[in-house]
Amino acid sequence: QSALTQPASVSGSPGQSITISCTGTSSDVGGYNYVSWYQQHPGKAPKLMIYEVSNRPSGVPDRFSGSKSGNTASLTISGLQAEDEADYYCSSYTSSSTGVFGTGTKVTVL
Amino acid sequence: QVQLQESGPGLVKPSQTLSLTCTVSGGSISSGDYYWSWIRQPPGKGLEWIGYIYYSGSTYYNPSLKSRVTISVDTSKNQFSLKLSSVTAADTAVYYCARGTTVTTLDPWGQGTLVTVSS
């Protein structure tokens, strides 16, 4: 299984909105509503930010939102804050009953 | 709340078997339909999904690792384990365990443990 495709980096100024894309195939992203997004700060374990495409776990700010269209899922961060600077990974269920992660996106707050 | 902690050798020789254990505290590993998962991250690189064991005992592995991976559960110790055979330097990574409510909804995660493959 191939990793899902994400842009290597995305940047924005405080207060702006940014969107990270996650492109797969009909055998993963496009075939199931089981897409999650994780935030990872350096030296830390990943943290679940979005699950099942657009649901936020308790405690995650509503600045984070998720969506999907066809084989591409997206994570939008609105009102970008300094603490949002981190690596972000998408993940999808696959037709093999396994999971697959995206290549990862480094978010920089200018 | 449920917490997970990885443990095992930090150094493994090439061709040997890497063995890690994830201890679950704050809840029973045999309660609920959870996906007990392993994920790894080579230094400076992205996350790689290794596999999971479902509460029913079914296991699913990354096809690229399937021939070398075994995930098992010890309910008496409230632990689940990872074994990766015939390791090479490419298996050097931080290994994480996590609990999933679905295959992709992983929360919480352990803090991770670095395993280096070197002679």
Side-chain angles (χ1 to χ4, degrees):
Chain A
Q1 59 194 21
S2 299
L4 308 175
T5 301
Q6 299 180 230
S9 62
V10 174
S11 62
S13 299
Q16 288 186 330
S17 293
I18 61 169
T19 297
I20 303 168
S21 61
C22 169
T23 301
T25 69
S26 58
S27 295
D28 39 63
V29 174
Y32 309 93
N33 286 325
Y34 288 106
V35 176
S36 296
W37 288 90
Y38 296 89
Q39 176 192 65
Q40 186 180 36
H41 286 110
K44 300 295 186 181
K47 175 187 176 183
L48 179 68
M49 304 301 284
I50 296 287
Y51 67 96
E52 293 175 23
V53 177
S54 60
N55 295 293
R56 274 188 315 276
S58 174
V60 173
D62 59 7
R63 304 184 289 104
F64 292 86
S65 62
S67 62
K68 191 185 84 167
S69 178
N71 295 337
T72 298
S74 298
L75 173 71
T76 297
I77 309 175
S78 304
L80 196 63
Q81 298 185 5
E83 59 261 37
D84 299 332
E85 186 162 293
D87 293 326
Y88 291 82
Y89 294 91
C90 61
S91 176
S92 174
Y93 182 69
T94 79
S95 58
S96 301
S97 301
T98 60
V100 63
F101 285 101
T103 51
T105 298
K106 180 177 181 59
V107 168
T108 301
V109 181
L110 302 172
Chain B
Q1 74 278 21
V2 172
Q3 293 183 311
L4 285 70
Q5 176 71 57
E6 305 89 350
S7 60
L11 181 64
V12 180
K13 289 180 167 46
S15 80
Q16 294 190 339
T17 296
L18 177 160
S19 296
L20 295 175
T21 296
C22 182
T23 299
V24 180
S25 59
S28 172
I29 199 170
S30 55
S31 68
D33 54 347
Y34 294 116
Y35 300 78
W36 301 100
S37 306
W38 288 97
I39 304 95
R40 71 180 183 179
Q41 184 171 36
K45 297 187 178 181
L47 300 171
E48 180 179 29
W49 189 84
I50 299 174
Y52 65 86
I53 184 165
Y54 192 38
Y55 81 110
S56 64
S58 300
T59 52
Y60 291 88
Y61 304 128
N62 184 327
S64 67
L65 300 172
K66 187 174 182 177
S67 63
R68 300 193 291 128
V69 174
T70 302
I71 296 175
S72 59
V73 167
D74 186 337
T75 55
S76 67
K77 295 181 178 179
N78 223 34
Q79 297 174 334
F80 64 106
S81 299
L82 169 71
K83 291 187 184 300
L84 181 65
S85 63
S86 305
V87 297
T88 69
D91 296 309
T92 294
V94 175
Y95 286 75
Y96 295 99
C97 60
R99 185 188 74 172
T101 51
T102 71
V103 173
T104 58
T105 308
L106 301 175
D107 182 52
W109 292 56
Q111 65 184 27
T113 187
L114 174 63
V115 178
T116 302
V117 178
S118 175
S119 55

